[in-house]
C-alpha cells in the first residue's frame, strides 16, 4: 500500500472516530445528569492510565512486525514474540482490573467529589469500567500487529465500526433502555468484548492460520535466544516508559482536577480538553503511517530518505494541526455552543479550550523528533526530555490549579510546553542531524504557522459574533476551511502535491 493511500485510510478512520466521539460527548449531556457525565469523563482518564500496563510491548509488536515485513527477521521469530505477548497482555489485564475493582469503593467515596449520584451505583459503575478497560488493553496487542503489517484498510474499518457501536449506537440505548451510569458501562463492556474478538481474529490469521505460510504454521515455537529477548525487553521498556510519560504528561492535569473539582464541573473541563485534543487526533494517523515506514527505511540503511520523510511528515502534521489550533483559539465559545447548546458549559469550558489548544500544538511539534528516535530504536533523549516535561507539568499544575483552578491548568500547560519546545527540541535535532533545527522551524513549520496566525488574527478582529447555533456552526466551518486552505498553500509539500494532482487531472482523458 502506498504511503498516501495508507495515510488516507488512517485519516478517514481517525477523523471519524474523533468526530463521533466528540459529537457523542456533546449529545450525552442532553440525556444524562452532570455527575454521570463526569463519571464518563473519569472513565476516559482512567482508560488512558490503564494503558500503562502495556509496558511498551505494543510498540515492540508493531516495530518487529514491520521489520519482519522488510525481511529483517523470520516469521518464526515474530511468532515467538506474538505468542508470548498474548499471555502477557492477558495477565496484565486481569491484574489491572482486579486492582480497580478492589479500589472502586475508595475512588467513589474519597477521590471523586460526588454530590447527588448514589455511591453504590458509582462504585458498581467503576467495577464495570475496570472490566471494559481490561478487554481493551488486550486488544492493543492485535491492533499493533495490524499496524506493523501496514494493514491500514482493515484497521480503519474495524476502528470505524466499533467507534460507531461505542459512541453512536449508545444514543438509542439512552432513549429506549436506560440512562443510568451502571447500564452505560455494561454496554461499553459488551462492545469492548466484541472489539477484542474481531481484532484477534484478523490480526492472528497472517501469522498463525495463513495457509500460504506452509509448514511454518505447524512448526512448534522454539525458545527465543537471549539476544532476541534482551533486544525486545530493552525496546519495550524504552517505548513503555516513553508511552507512560506521554500518558502522564497529557493526563496529569485531569487526574489532579478529578479530585479538586466537583464531578459535574470535571465533566465540563474534560469536554474542553477533549475538543483541544483534536490536535493530537490529527497527528495520530500520520504518526501511525510514518513510524513503521521510517523503521523500514532505517532497517534498510536508507537514512537520507528517512530524514526527507521526517521533514515531509512535519509539514503534513503542521497542515493537519495548526488550522485546528487557530479555529479553537479564536472560536472556542461558538464551537462548544454548537456541540452542546449548554450555556453554563460554554461559560466554564471556553477559556480552557482556548488555552489548551495552544499548549497542545507546542507539544505536538515537540514530539516530532520521537519519529527519528523510534526508527533508530534509541529513545534515551526522548525519555529524558519527557521526564523533565512531566516534572515541570506536575509542579506547575499542582501550583496553578490551587490558585486558579481550570484556567490555572491552561496557563501552566502553555508555559511548560513552550519551555520544552524552546529548550529541549533543538538539542534532540542537534544529536541526530546537526544544523537541521533552524531549517525545520523556518521551512517546515514557520510558513504554515504564519499563514494560520494571520488569518486567525484578521478573523478575530473583523468577524461578527454569532447570535444563534446555526450562525455559530456556519462561522466555525467558514473559518476552518479558510485556515486549512491557507495552511495547505503555505506548505511546500502540499503545494507540490496539489500541483501534481492538478496536472494528473489535466492529462487524463
Amino acid at each position: 500500500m502506498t504511503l498516501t493511500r495508507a495515510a488516507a485510510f488512517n485519516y478517514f478512520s481517525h477523523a471519524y472516530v474523533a468526530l463521533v466521539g466528540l459529537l457523542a460527548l456533546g449529545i450525552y449531556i442532553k440525556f444524562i445528569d452532570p455527575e454521570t457525565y463526569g463519571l464518563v469523563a473519569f472513565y476516559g482518564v482512567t482508560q488512558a492510565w490503564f494503558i500503562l500496563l502495556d509496558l511498551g510491548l505494543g510498540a515492540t509488536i508493531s516495530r518487529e512486525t514491520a521489520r519482519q515485513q522488510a525481511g529483517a527477521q523470520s516469521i518464526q521469530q515474530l511468532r515467538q514474540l506474538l505468542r508470548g505477548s498474548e499471555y502477557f497482555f492477558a495477565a496484565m489485564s486481569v491484574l489491572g482490573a482486579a486492582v480497580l475493582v478492589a479500589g472502586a469503593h475508595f475512588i467513589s467515596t474519597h477521590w471523586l467529589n460526588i454530590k447527588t449520584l448514589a455511591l453504590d451505583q458509582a462504585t458498581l459503575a467503576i467495577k464495570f469500567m475496570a472490566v471494559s478497560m481490561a478487554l481493551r488493553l488486550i486488544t492493543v496487542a492485535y491492533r499493533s500487529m495490524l499496524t506493523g503489517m501496514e494493514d491500514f484498510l482493515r484497521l480503519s474499518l474495524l476502528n470505524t465500526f466499533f467507534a460507531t457501536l461505542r459512541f453512536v449506537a449508545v444514543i438509542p440505548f439512552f432513549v429506549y433502555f436506560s440512562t443510568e451510569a451502571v447500564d452505560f458501562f455494561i454496554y461499553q463492556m459488551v462492545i469492548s468484548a466484541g472489539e477484542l474478538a474481531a481484532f484477534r481474529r484478523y490480526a492472528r490469521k497472517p501469522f498463525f492460520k495463513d495457509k500460504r505460510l506452509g509448514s511454518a504454521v505447524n512448526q512448534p515455537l522454539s525458545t527465543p535466544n537471549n539476544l532476541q529477548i534482551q533486544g525486545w525487553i530493552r525496546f519495550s521498556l524504552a517505548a513503555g516508559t516513553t508511552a507512560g510519560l506521554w500518558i502522564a504528561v497529557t493526563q496529569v492535569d485531569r487526574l489532579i482536577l478529578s479530585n479538586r473539582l466537583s464531578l459535574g464541573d470535571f465533566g465540563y473541563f474534560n469536554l474542553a480538553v477533549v475538543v483541544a485534543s483534536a490536535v493530537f487526533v490529527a497527528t495520530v494517523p500520520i504518526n501511525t503511517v510514518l513510524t513503521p515506514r521510517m523503521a523500514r527505511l532505517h532497517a534498510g540503511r536508507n537514512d537520507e530518505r528517512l530524514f526527507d520523510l521526517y521533514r515531509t511528515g512535519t509539514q503534513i502534521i503542521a497542515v493537519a494541526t495548526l488550522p485546528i489550533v487557530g479555529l479553537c483559539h479564536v472560536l472556542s465559545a461558538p464551537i462548544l455552543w454548537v456541540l452542546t447548546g449548554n450555556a453554563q458549559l460554554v461559560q466554564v469550558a471556553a477559556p480552557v479550550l482556548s488555552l489548551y489548544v495552544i499548549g497542545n500544538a507546542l507539544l505536538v511539534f515537540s514530539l516530532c523528533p520521537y519519529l527519528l528516535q523510534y526508527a533508530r530504536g534509541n529513545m534515551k533523549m526522548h525519555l529524558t526530555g519527557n521526564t523533565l516535561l512531566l516534572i515541570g507539568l506536575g509542579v506547575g499544575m499542582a501550583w496553578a490549579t490551587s490558585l486558579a483552578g481550570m484556567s490555572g491548568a491552561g496557563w501552566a500547560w502553555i508555559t511548560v510546553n513552550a519551555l520544552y519546545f524552546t529548550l529541549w527540541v533543538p538539542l534532540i535535532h542537534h544529536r541526530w542531524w546537526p544544523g537541521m533545527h533552524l531549517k525545520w522551524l523556518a521551512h517546515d513549520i514557520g510558513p504554515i504557522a504564519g499563514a494560520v496566525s494571520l488569518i486567525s488574527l484578521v478573523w478575530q478582529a473583523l468577524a461578527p459574533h454569532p447570535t444563534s447555533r446555526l450562525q455559530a456552526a456556519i462561522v466555525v466551518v467558514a473559518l476552518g476551511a479558510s485556515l486549512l486552505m491557507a495552511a495547505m498553500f503555505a506548505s511546500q509539500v502540499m503545494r507540490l502535491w496539489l500541483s501534481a494532482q492538478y496536472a494528473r487531472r489535466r492529462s487524463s482523458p
Side-chain angles (χ1 to χ4, degrees):
M1 180 181 294
T2 65
L3 188 65
T4 302
R5 183 171 296 181
F9 282 132
N10 266 277
Y11 248 110
F12 170 78
S13 67
H14 280 88
Y16 177 81
V17 171
L19 182 61
V20 297
L22 188 58
L23 292 176
L25 283 177
I27 295 172
Y28 287 175
I29 201 168
K30 300 179 184 300
F31 293 98
I32 58 180
D33 62 84
E35 291 207 333
T36 300
Y37 191 75
L39 205 57
V40 174
F42 183 71
Y43 172 56
V45 175
T46 312
Q47 175 71 62
W49 288 97
F50 201 90
I51 295 297
L52 287 174
L53 296 176
D54 160 278
L55 297 183
L57 193 55
T60 301
I61 293 171
S62 179
R63 185 173 186 269
E64 294 304 312
T65 303
R67 283 167 49 80
Q68 190 276 327
Q69 301 289 301
Q73 67 173 333
S74 69
I75 185 69
Q76 276 296 102
Q77 291 173 324
L78 182 61
R79 290 176 71 233
Q80 292 165 353
L81 172 63
L82 299 182
R83 181 60 61 83
S85 299
E86 291 180 305
Y87 293 124
F88 172 85
F89 274 102
M92 296 304 289
S93 296
V94 171
L95 175 63
V99 170
L100 267 179
V101 168
H105 180 72
F106 173 84
I107 294 170
S108 61
T109 56
H110 292 83
W111 184 263
L112 299 176
N113 294 311
I114 299 174
K115 297 180 179 179
T116 60
L117 189 65
L119 292 179
D120 59 337
Q121 291 296 298
T123 300
L124 186 57
I126 292 170
K127 291 179 180 180
F128 283 117
M129 280 188 208
V131 178
S132 178
M133 288 185 283
L135 294 170
R136 297 193 71 183
L137 177 63
I138 301 173
T139 306
V140 169
Y142 303 113
R143 183 178 279 109
S144 299
M145 293 181 197
L146 292 174
T147 300
M149 287 186 286
E150 300 187 39
D151 190 356
F152 295 114
L153 175 59
R154 194 183 305 276
L155 190 63
S156 299
L157 291 174
L158 288 171
N159 285 336
T160 300
F161 176 73
F162 284 102
T164 303
L165 293 180
R166 181 168 283 115
F167 298 122
V168 179
V170 75
I171 295 173
F173 181 84
F174 285 147
V175 174
Y176 296 107
F177 293 98
S178 174
T179 58
E180 296 295 325
V182 172
D183 295 331
F184 172 81
F185 289 110
I186 291 175
Y187 175 88
Q188 295 297 323
M189 181 184 67
V190 172
I191 298 303
S192 296
E195 183 180 40
L196 170 59
F199 270 91
R200 185 178 188 276
R201 175 184 177 184
Y202 290 111
R204 293 183 91 255
K205 185 176 180 180
F207 303 109
F208 295 97
K209 299 180 180 180
D210 196 333
K211 295 181 180 179
R212 290 173 296 178
L213 296 176
S215 60
V217 173
N218 299 317
Q219 290 179 6
L221 295 178
S222 59
T223 303
N225 62 58
N226 290 334
L227 289 178
Q228 283 180 318
I229 295 174
Q230 289 172 9
W232 293 340
I233 291 175
R234 280 197 302 269
F235 186 82
S236 293
L237 289 177
T241 305
T242 301
L245 287 171
W246 166 254
I247 290 170
V249 162
T250 56
Q251 300 294 329
V252 65
D253 52 346
R254 282 185 267 191
L255 183 64
I256 292 171
L257 288 172
S258 68
N259 177 251
R260 293 189 174 181
L261 299 175
S262 68
L263 191 56
D265 283 347
F266 175 68
Y268 295 162
F269 170 79
N270 181 73
L271 179 61
V273 176
V274 168
V275 176
S277 68
V279 174
F280 299 139
V281 173
T283 66
V284 168
I286 302 170
N287 290 336
T288 301
V289 172
L290 289 177
T291 46
R293 187 62 57 94
M294 291 176 71
R296 290 177 65 177
L297 289 174
H298 179 67
R301 302 184 183 278
N302 198 339
D303 285 348
E304 183 177 351
R305 285 190 60 195
L306 187 151
F307 283 114
D308 287 342
L309 183 59
Y310 172 69
R311 292 192 59 186
T312 297
T314 298
Q315 287 195 39
I316 296 173
I317 288 171
V319 170
T321 58
L322 291 178
I324 298 172
V325 176
L327 183 67
C328 290
H329 183 70
V330 173
L331 298 179
S332 57
I335 288 171
L336 293 174
W337 190 19
V338 170
L339 282 174
T340 67
N342 187 312
Q344 181 183 358
L345 183 150
V346 171
Q347 183 179 6
V348 171
V352 177
L353 172 57
S354 183
L355 294 171
Y356 258 81
V357 75
I358 296 175
N360 287 357
L362 291 167
L363 183 57
V364 161
F365 291 113
S366 295
L367 296 178
C368 281
Y370 168 78
L371 296 169
L372 294 174
Q373 297 168 84
Y374 177 93
R376 292 171 174 266
N378 185 338
M379 295 179 286
K380 291 181 180 179
M381 291 191 71
H382 186 77
L383 180 61
T384 302
N386 273 13
T387 303
L388 295 173
L389 180 61
L390 177 59
I391 293 171
L393 283 172
V395 174
M397 285 289 175
W399 177 73
T401 55
S402 66
L403 294 179
M406 298 184 197
S407 296
W411 283 110
W413 184 248
I414 290 177
T415 302
V416 176
N417 280 298
L419 290 172
Y420 184 89
F421 180 78
T422 305
L423 301 177
W424 189 253
V425 173
L427 296 178
I428 302 176
H429 280 153
H430 180 74
R431 167 68 176 83
W432 294 110
W433 192 0
M436 179 184 71
H437 184 70
L438 292 180
K439 295 178 182 178
W440 182 74
L441 287 176
H443 298 290
D444 301 326
I445 298 176
I448 303 167
V452 168
S453 298
L454 179 61
I455 298 294
S456 298
L457 290 172
V458 170
W459 190 283
Q460 191 171 27
L462 301 179
H465 186 76
T467 58
S468 69
R469 289 181 73 185
L470 178 59
Q471 287 182 6
I474 293 171
V475 167
V476 169
V477 172
L479 179 57
S482 300
L483 293 174
L484 181 59
M485 290 177 61
M488 292 182 71
F489 283 106
S491 165
Q492 182 183 23
V493 168
M494 295 306 298
R495 287 197 305 271
L496 291 174
W497 181 79
L498 290 170
S499 297
Q501 296 301 311
Y502 177 72
R504 182 180 301 174
R505 286 180 176 273
R506 291 198 63 182
S507 62
S508 61

